[in-house]
Amino acid sequence: MKIIQTTKLTKAFDGFIALKDFDLTVEEGTIYGLIGPNGAGKTTAIRTMLGLLLPTSGTATILGTPLKNIKKVIHHIGYMPQDLSLATELTIFENILFFGRLYGMKKRDIQTRTEELLKLVELEKFGDRLIEACSGGMRRRASLACSLVHDPPLLFLDEPTVGVDPDLRASFWQYFRELTEKQGKTIVLTTHYLTESEQCDIIGLLKDGMLAREGAPRDLKMEIPNGRALKVRAPNMVAIIIKEVQDELGLYSQADGDFAVIKFTGDFDITRILEIVQRHTQTYGMELIEPTMDEVFSHFTSSKGTTKVAANQKEFHE
Amino acid sequence: MEFSWHRVLAIMKKNLTALKRDRRTIGLIVFLPIMMMLVFGYAFGTDVRNVRVIICNLDNKSISSKGYTLLSGDNRVYLMENVTTVAEGLDKVHSPGLLSGAWALIVFPVNFTMSFTTPPLKPVELYVDGSNPQIVAAVVGAVTSMLVNLSGNVKPLYNVTYKYGNKDYRPVDNMAPGILGFTVMIFMLLLSIVFNVRERLSGMAERMNATPTRRMEVVLGNLLGYSLIAVLQTSLLLLIVKLLFNVAIVGDILYVFLMLFIFAINVLSLGLFLSAFAKNEQQAFQFIPLIIIPSVLLSGFVFPIDGFPDWLKPVSYILPMTYIIIILRKNMLAGLGLESVWLEFLVLVGMTVLFLLLAAVVYNRQKR
């Protein structure tokens, strides 16, 4: 079931196009990651889909409701903005209570829910702490808890893991997976941590306000020409292996000391490479190298299709 | 590192460049002083003028007619109406509001003209609303000049009767309603504008917009919260005014409290509306002098509106402060309630509803 569908959604600010012809389909029970550097249009896309920004053109349907009527289904949506967006003079618990009340929840239900949420975001000991006394990471966690208080079927999370330490990030992702796989919820999130974007079911690569490409991370990796590589350790045999692999399989390879690095595309049958290796040695080591998400992003967003990371995109690499 | 003029100049240039791009601040820097100078000039530069008075000429002979002509040529008073009986005139003596009202009734007694030739001289009767000593002085001044002119060196003879107030009213009694209104205004404006802008800048307002919360709910929620502070502040103010300065409150202190509370809601709504137009806290602060200065100078708080030139008067009547001052003065100094200020009250409430609706319309509106 399609939870979100946008058609040529465009948002311009004073002539600057922040989002252009944005076509997005998000299926129920998936994590959809919008990936891109700062200014790519990730936040604009989320705010437009939430009805916080009026689209310049295009249409969208959210939870089966046209975007212009989004208030009718907004109680089924959780939103964690990129900014702090919490009342700093209130405690973590009071903030969660406040948002629960805005969603029409009863105080007793919120209290029960708060206990679960504080445990999830590892803040169970800090419920009474004022937001202004919390660290950046704690604030992000409290903000996530506020967006989950009403247990919504659809979640928009704008950079949910920024400023959160790696261990907790891992547990966030585990929870996101649990929400989608076990509870059938749908999550649309943005991140500029490319490595963690691999945990999304589908990623959309945004550049200059346009969706350059979307797909499952693994599928996108498969599509990169010569993106995958088999690194074979075969001392003294590297040159001959490289030559035969090139002659017989037409694969591009290169030597790296005692290693032959043989590049191939997608689901190429690597047993064919191993047959050649085994002709020359039975004692070899090997490692399958997958393209990084950096390379995936660069490939699909650079105009030349090169796998080299562009200098201006480095800032959003982890 | 040593002191460097390069750095000083760099900082100066940075500030001027930022200012150059902030048109609103430039507008404020240019517009406000012009407005202030104009108002101060008109208000301070002249004495009280055009005080509305009613004439009752029971004599209708040559000297009283001459007196009438003299008064109509005196710019301190404005002869708004002639009545035939004292009772009819007295009805209309209460500090003027929107609809009617005169500050004083001047009565030429029967046989006034004859008493110039057959003494004893009959005194002119003056019935005044004495809530503003400045105004009383202007009316008395105009009558004295007229009598001196009519009778030559004879000591001018007149009786003053205070319909409201008395000659013991101090300037502070007349100023107190304005001071109350002003204090409520400045703090409620600060509260609503600054807090609201802060809420928007923190992203909290937008986040609330992504919940089922309606804009009117946010506006009313904010308003009710702040109005509790207004209740507290108003109570404190009244206590100080009464206990510390023993200001005259002829009317009902509860009525004064209620009216001030309504005024606080009015100002809070105005603040909520205006805050939508401020991009940051600095711009939010700029609204405060923009509202406060005209409210102090043009509302009748310091200078009587009657003294302003006609082109400036409409500005007075779009200020909520003008209405609260009329309402409070009539009650605190003359003991008059809603029956005498129902129109002013309706205007104040109407403005409040208007500001509230406007605030809800513009509050964190969907960005285009």
Side-chain angles (χ1 to χ4, degrees):
Chain A
M1 184 188 166
K2 291 184 178 70
I3 293 290
I4 297 173
Q5 186 150 36
T6 71
T7 311
K8 293 199 174 303
L9 209 56
T10 298
K11 178 67 201 171
F13 298 100
D14 296 329
F16 166 72
I17 298 174
L19 195 66
K20 191 177 178 189
D21 295 338
F22 185 67
D23 290 329
L24 183 82
T25 303
V26 180
E27 295 287 340
E28 187 176 10
T30 57
I31 302 179
Y32 191 107
L34 285 169
I35 317 299
N38 294 336
K42 305 187 294 289
T43 299
T44 303
I46 282 193
R47 291 171 73 211
T48 310
M49 287 188 281
L50 274 165
L52 299 171
L53 296 174
L54 189 71
T56 309
S57 61
T59 57
T61 309
I62 314 290
L63 292 167
T65 305
L67 186 57
K68 62 178 180 183
N69 296 331
I70 191 150
K71 275 283 180 188
K72 287 184 181 166
V73 290
I74 202 87
H75 56 287
H76 292 310
I77 300 173
Y79 171 45
M80 175 183 174
Q82 199 173 343
D83 301 327
L84 171 63
S85 312
L86 294 174
T88 52
E89 304 84 358
L90 265 55
T91 64
I92 293 174
F93 173 72
E94 286 166 341
N95 269 283
I96 299 174
L97 182 70
F98 171 68
F99 280 101
R101 299 296 271 181
L102 292 190
Y103 284 106
M105 293 172 72
K106 291 195 177 103
K107 197 173 175 184
R108 190 179 300 167
D109 296 340
I110 303 171
Q111 271 165 340
T112 317
R113 179 82 176 133
T114 306
E115 282 169 29
E116 296 168 26
L117 289 172
L118 289 180
K119 202 168 171 187
L120 164 81
V121 296
E122 296 182 15
L123 287 174
E124 60 266 56
K125 290 180 188 160
F126 302 100
D128 292 329
R129 184 173 283 196
L130 292 176
I131 295 291
E132 62 190 7
C134 289
S135 68
M138 287 169 84
R139 291 174 181 200
R140 299 298 296 162
R141 286 183 270 161
S143 182
L144 177 65
C146 289
S147 63
L148 293 168
V149 63
H150 56 304
D151 200 18
L154 172 61
L155 275 162
F156 285 98
L157 308 175
D158 199 355
E159 302 278 6
T161 53
V162 158
V164 176
D165 64 61
D167 285 349
L168 191 62
R169 257 157 64 190
S171 65
F172 271 19
W173 276 100
Q174 199 184 341
Y175 181 68
F176 296 160
R177 290 245 61 99
E178 204 178 296
L179 282 175
T180 52
E181 286 167 9
K182 292 187 184 163
Q183 299 181 32
K185 298 187 188 305
T186 308
I187 299 176
V188 177
L189 57 81
T190 69
T191 181
H192 64 259
Y193 293 138
L194 286 174
T195 48
E196 70 178 28
S197 70
E198 285 188 64
Q199 301 188 59
C200 299
D201 295 308
I202 304 286
I203 55 172
L205 305 174
L206 268 171
K207 193 191 176 198
D208 299 333
M210 288 198 282
L211 196 59
R213 190 62 196 265
E214 67 170 1
R218 186 176 155 69
D219 293 346
L220 294 177
K221 284 180 178 179
M222 291 292 202
E223 284 183 36
I224 298 178
N226 290 328
R228 306 177 80 199
L230 193 65
K231 193 173 179 182
V232 180
R233 186 175 183 277
N236 305 320
M237 295 295 162
V238 170
I240 184 79
I241 289 172
I242 286 177
K243 184 173 185 311
E244 287 182 12
V245 163
Q246 203 151 1
D247 292 346
E248 293 175 29
L249 304 176
L251 296 180
Y252 170 73
S253 311
Q254 62 191 79
D256 181 9
D258 284 347
F259 295 90
V261 181
I262 303 147
K263 296 192 172 181
F264 57 93
T265 305
D267 53 0
F268 183 86
D269 182 5
I270 57 171
T271 57
R272 295 175 66 192
I273 302 171
L274 292 179
E275 279 169 14
I276 293 173
V277 174
Q278 284 164 358
R279 278 182 211 156
H280 303 288
T281 176
Q282 293 302 312
T283 53
Y284 61 90
M286 65 168 188
E287 182 191 357
L288 186 63
I289 301 170
E290 297 285 356
T292 63
M293 289 307 290
D294 284 357
E295 288 165 332
V296 170
F297 188 85
S298 295
H299 174 73
F300 288 108
T301 58
S302 104
S303 51
K304 290 177 185 165
T306 167
T307 55
K308 195 179 167 193
V309 175
N312 65 349
Q313 287 158 6
K314 280 188 175 161
E315 65 183 46
F316 79 101
H317 296 161
E318 204 168 355
Chain B
M1 267 199 176
E2 283 179 17
F3 181 88
S4 157
W5 280 105
H6 287 293
R7 281 194 289 272
V8 173
L9 288 175
I11 292 164
M12 185 192 84
K13 199 174 163 192
K14 184 245 331 167
N15 289 346
L16 287 176
T17 309
L19 193 63
K20 196 172 75 185
R21 292 185 185 142
D22 189 350
R23 287 185 193 162
R24 193 180 307 194
T25 303
I26 294 178
L28 198 77
I29 292 168
V30 175
F31 170 72
L32 261 190
I34 292 175
M35 190 185 79
M36 282 173 67
M37 291 319 291
L38 278 177
V39 174
F40 274 119
Y42 277 106
F44 270 133
T46 55
D47 296 325
V48 176
R49 293 178 307 182
N50 300 325
V51 174
R52 287 186 244 177
V53 296
I54 295 173
I55 305 286
C56 176
N57 193 347
L58 300 174
D59 176 56
N60 265 330
K61 300 268 165 48
S62 61
I63 296 185
S64 60
S65 297
K66 194 180 170 199
Y68 183 91
T69 314
L70 286 169
L71 278 178
S72 57
D74 191 326
N75 66 7
R76 281 175 285 192
V77 289
Y78 168 70
L79 313 187
M80 64 176 278
E81 200 178 340
N82 294 310
V83 291
T84 48
T85 65
V86 174
E88 188 191 346
L90 263 179
D91 254 5
K92 293 171 181 171
V93 175
H94 51 82
S95 52
L98 274 184
L99 274 186
S100 63
W103 286 101
L105 167 68
I106 301 170
V107 181
F108 292 100
V110 179
N111 297 332
F112 177 71
T113 300
M114 200 193 289
S115 74
F116 274 76
T117 47
T118 19
L121 198 62
K122 287 210 165 182
V124 167
E125 298 293 334
L126 262 173
Y127 298 90
V128 295
D129 176 334
S131 48
N132 187 342
Q134 257 181 299
I135 299 269
V136 175
V139 177
V140 169
V143 170
T144 310
S145 307
M146 169 197 74
L147 290 174
V148 167
N149 208 311
L150 291 177
S151 61
N153 292 328
V154 180
K155 189 177 174 234
L157 198 60
Y158 59 86
N159 294 323
V160 180
T161 309
Y162 282 79
K163 183 179 175 195
Y164 300 114
N166 57 60
K167 61 182 185 328
D168 299 328
Y169 270 179
R170 302 157 299 167
V172 69
D173 294 318
N174 183 54
M175 294 289 275
I179 293 168
L180 286 171
F182 173 71
T183 315
V184 167
M185 169 172 252
I186 196 158
F187 287 106
M188 291 301 121
L189 258 187
L190 263 174
L191 195 68
S192 59
I193 291 185
V194 172
F195 268 68
N196 218 32
V197 168
R198 193 177 294 169
E199 187 166 88
R200 207 177 67 230
L201 292 181
S202 73
M204 188 70 172
E206 182 169 282
R207 189 173 193 163
M208 281 155 67
N209 226 4
T211 72
T213 317
R214 291 166 179 274
R215 281 185 281 178
M216 194 43 130
E217 290 170 343
V218 182
V219 169
L220 281 178
N222 280 335
L223 202 68
L224 290 176
Y226 299 147
S227 62
L228 288 180
I229 300 170
V231 167
L232 192 74
Q233 195 201 37
T234 311
S235 315
L236 266 175
L237 279 174
L238 282 173
L239 270 179
I240 294 171
V241 157
K242 189 69 200 156
L243 297 180
L244 215 61
F245 297 106
N246 192 27
V247 159
I249 302 182
V250 180
D252 182 356
I253 197 158
L254 195 65
Y255 172 90
V256 173
F257 176 84
L258 273 175
M259 292 298 143
L260 271 177
F261 180 70
I262 290 168
F263 180 61
I265 303 272
N266 176 290
V267 178
L268 285 169
S269 314
L270 177 64
L272 287 176
F273 168 61
L274 291 177
S275 62
F277 300 97
K279 286 184 191 157
N280 49 48
E281 289 185 355
Q282 186 200 342
Q283 286 195 351
F285 274 112
Q286 292 174 358
F287 281 121
I288 292 167
L290 206 62
I291 301 297
I292 291 288
I293 292 174
S295 294
V296 170
L297 298 177
L298 300 176
S299 63
F301 172 25
V302 186
F303 314 111
I305 296 172
D306 283 341
F308 296 148
D310 287 341
W311 61 266
L312 202 55
K313 283 180 185 168
V315 185
S316 297
Y317 289 110
I318 57 167
L319 298 169
M321 178 92 159
T322 303
Y323 298 96
I324 190 67
I325 288 182
I326 293 174
I327 292 171
L328 292 185
R329 275 198 181 138
K330 289 213 177 197
N331 189 266
M332 290 171 68
L333 300 170
L336 296 170
L338 267 185
E339 73 286 350
S340 69
V341 287
W342 61 269
L343 184 61
E344 287 82 355
F345 177 76
L346 281 183
V347 172
L348 191 67
V349 171
M351 279 180 167
T352 309
V353 174
L354 179 71
F355 294 152
L356 205 60
L357 290 175
L358 287 173
V361 169
V362 298
Y363 182 83
N364 202 33
R365 67 209 139 147
Q366 196 181 35
K367 290 172 187 67
R368 285 171 187 277

